[in-house]
Each structure stands twice: as C-alpha cells, then as structure tokens.
Amino acid sequence: MALIGAAIGIGSTIFGAASKSSSASKANSEAKKAAKEQHKYNKQVWRDNKLKLEADRKFTIEGIEIDKRNDKTLADLKDRQSLDRYEFDLKIRQMQMKNSSNQFAKSNQLYGSQLGFNSTAFNTAQAAEQQKMNDAMSQAAFQNEDLYVQGLQQSGTALARGMAGKSVGKQRQSLNAQLGRNQNIVMQNLLSSRSEMRSNIANIAMQKEGADIQAFANLMIPADAPPEVMEPYATPLPEYQMPRELEKFDFGPEPIKGAAAQVSTSAPWLNALGSVSTSLVSAFNNGPSGFGGYGGGGSISTNSGAFGGSSSIASAGGFGSGLFGL
C-alpha cells in the first residue's frame, strides 16, 4: 500500500510538473509575443514622432515664411502710404507758398492803389480849398468894386443935389470912410477865408498821412516758406529666425527590442524529480522486508541522494530499471 501511495504521489507530482511546464512555456510564448508587439508599437511610435517632429518643423518654417510675406506686404503698403502722404504734403506746401505769394502781391497792389487814392483825394481836397479861396477872392474883388461904384454914385448924387464947398467935402469924407470900412470888412473876410483854407489843407494833409499809415499797416509782410516736407523712409522689416536643423538626438534613441522575462521550463521538472526521489526513498525505507524480491533479490542504495550522481537502483531487472530506464 505504501508503494501504491508513493506511485500515486509520484504521478500527481509529475502531472503537476508537466502542467507547470506547459504554463511556463505558454507564458514565455505570450511574453515573447507581447515583447514583439511592444517593440513593434514602440518602433511605430518612434517613427510617428519623428515624422511629426519633421512635419512640425516644416509647418513652423512655412508659418515663418507666411509671416515674412505678410510683413513685406504690410511694409510695402506703409511705404506706398508714406510716399503718397509725402507727395500730398508737397502739393499742400506748394499751394500754401503760392497762396501766400498771391496774397502778398495783392496786398502790395492794394497798398499802391490806396496810396494813389490818398494822393488823389488829397489833391482834390486841396484843389477844392484853393477853389474856395479863389472864389472868396473873386467875391471880395466884386464886393470891393461894388463898394467903389456905390461910392461914386453917392458922390455924384451929392453933387447933383447942389452941395458945394464944405458940405461936399464932408460928404466925400463920409463916403470914403464908409467905403474904407466896407473894404476892410471884405478884406477881413478874405483873410479869414485864406486862414480857413490853410487850416483845411493842413487837415487834409494830416488825413492823407493817416490814411497812408493805415494802408502801410494793412500791407502784408512777406510770408516765410513753410517747413520742408520730410522725405519718407523705408519701413524696417523684422528679423526672423528659422528653426535649426533636426539632429538625431531630437528624435530620441531608436527603440531596441528588450529581452522578455523568461521562466525556466526545466525548473518544474527538476523540482518534480526531486520530489519523486524523496518519495521513492521514503517508500523503500518504510516498505516490507521482502520488497526487494520484486527485483529478484535486488537492493536499494542511496549514497548521494535521490536520482543524483551515484544514486541508483541495483537490481537484476524489475521495477527500477523497467520504470525509469535508468
């Protein structure tokens, strides 16, 4: 019975070892497959990252080139606007200078015309005053002549009345005295008219001088030229820096297929054999005294342990050599 139990235990141990070995082989196969798939995935990720890095660099360069073209277009537009503004400002400056020149010329013309008008007005007013004086002198001459005629008439009347001697003399003296007074009145009026004429002519001259001064005050001074228009300058363009060339270190190390963790397939068998050896030794040591008869008087020797080195089952035939072929 002990031998049967040992055989059953040995069979169970061997079956368990076989199952564990199969599981280990399957695990190793799956690990190798997983490692292969992981390596394949890592390689694809590395290649994709490399392509993406190169595409990103190319996209960045294209973006910089677009910025350069846009900045150049904007700079050209600003330059054209500056040039148009410069030409427009030049036209405004030329128009201002032309208007100032025309206004100054017109002011000089008006000044000359005003001076001419003032001289004409002065001469006219002076001539009018002189004419008034001439009229006053003519009137005084006529009055003096009338007075003289009146005196003659009065003298003739007195003679016609038959006055003689002292009466006639007194009458003549009286007439002469009256004529003298009347002539003095006429002369005083004439002198007064002359004084008035001189005063009026002086006032006219003063008015002319005031009008000439006012005309000079209204005269424009020559206008200074407006400031020169500044010439436009080119719009500066920004400086650009392109991405550097990609180096190998930018892509990182290329994935290397790593060694998958391997489980030894022989270990279960070695363990199982060790268990079998122990079971057999125990069975033979604890079995009946006639156990060796199955092998034709054989015996068991365990010098170095179960199934190792010099351990053997010594028999002429039978169980030991027939079962294990050792």
Side-chain angles (χ1 to χ4, degrees):
M1 292 301 290
L3 182 61
I4 294 173
I8 293 173
I10 291 171
S12 298
T13 301
I14 293 173
F15 178 79
S19 177
K20 291 181 179 179
S21 178
S22 176
S23 298
S25 297
K26 184 177 180 181
N28 288 337
S29 177
E30 291 178 352
K32 290 180 180 179
K33 183 178 179 181
K36 183 178 180 181
E37 293 296 329
Q38 183 66 41
H39 179 65
K40 181 179 178 181
Y41 173 78
N42 292 339
K43 288 279 287 186
Q44 185 63 41
V45 170
W46 181 79
R47 286 191 295 267
D48 291 344
N49 288 336
K50 182 178 180 181
L51 293 175
K52 182 178 182 300
L53 187 60
E54 292 174 345
D56 289 343
R57 181 179 181 275
K58 182 180 179 181
F59 181 78
T60 301
I61 293 176
E62 290 176 352
I64 295 176
E65 293 294 339
I66 291 174
D67 290 339
K68 289 174 63 177
R69 292 193 297 270
N70 290 338
D71 290 340
K72 183 64 169 59
T73 301
L74 183 60
D76 292 341
L77 176 62
K78 289 183 177 179
D79 290 342
R80 288 196 300 270
Q81 290 176 340
S82 298
L83 184 59
D84 292 341
R85 182 65 187 180
Y86 171 72
E87 294 176 352
F88 181 73
D89 290 342
L90 280 180
K91 292 180 180 179
I92 291 178
R93 183 175 184 273
Q94 292 173 356
M95 185 176 297
Q96 288 176 344
M97 294 176 62
K98 183 178 179 180
N99 290 338
S100 297
S101 178
N102 291 338
Q103 291 176 0
F104 181 70
K106 182 179 180 180
S107 177
N108 279 331
Q109 182 179 1
L110 292 175
Y111 176 68
S113 299
Q114 185 65 45
L115 291 182
F117 174 80
N118 294 342
S119 297
T120 301
F122 173 74
N123 293 331
T124 301
Q126 189 177 24
E129 292 297 327
Q130 187 64 48
Q131 184 61 42
K132 287 171 60 178
M133 186 62 193
N134 293 336
D135 293 342
M137 292 177 65
S138 298
Q139 184 178 4
F142 287 132
Q143 290 178 350
N144 188 42
E145 186 176 352
D146 289 342
L147 291 174
Y148 181 75
V149 171
Q150 288 178 3
L152 292 178
Q153 289 178 351
Q154 290 175 358
S155 297
T157 302
L159 291 174
R161 290 177 179 178
M163 292 182 179
K166 293 181 180 180
S167 298
V168 174
K170 291 181 179 180
Q171 183 68 26
R172 286 183 177 177
Q173 288 179 355
S174 176
L175 291 174
N176 289 334
Q178 184 178 0
L179 176 62
R181 286 194 301 271
N182 291 335
Q183 287 178 342
N184 287 333
I185 294 173
V186 172
M187 184 59 65
Q188 290 297 326
N189 291 336
L190 183 61
L191 293 176
S192 178
S193 297
R194 179 174 293 180
S195 297
E196 183 180 0
M197 180 195 71
R198 290 176 178 177
S199 178
N200 290 340
I201 291 177
N203 290 332
I204 293 171
M206 187 176 295
Q207 291 176 1
K208 176 183 180 297
E209 184 176 1
D212 291 344
I213 293 174
Q214 185 62 41
F216 180 76
N218 294 334
L219 177 65
M220 289 182 60
I221 60 175
D224 294 333
E228 294 288 342
V229 180
M230 294 182 61
E231 294 185 3
Y233 50 85
T235 302
L237 291 174
E239 185 178 358
Y240 307 90
Q241 182 179 13
M242 292 297 181
R244 62 175 177 81
E245 294 293 336
L246 295 176
E247 302 291 343
K248 290 184 179 181
F249 55 77
D250 291 311
F251 307 118
E254 185 176 356
I256 300 174
K257 186 177 180 180
Q262 298 291 321
V263 179
S264 175
T265 57
S266 61
W269 288 107
L270 293 175
N271 293 331
L273 290 174
S275 298
V276 170
S277 174
T278 303
S279 298
L280 287 174
V281 170
S282 178
F284 278 109
N285 287 333
N286 297 325
S289 59
F291 182 79
Y294 288 100
S299 64
I300 188 165
S301 174
T302 57
N303 296 329
S304 299
F307 299 100
S310 60
S311 297
S312 64
I313 298 177
S315 64
F319 184 77
S321 60
L323 179 62
F324 296 102
L326 298 177

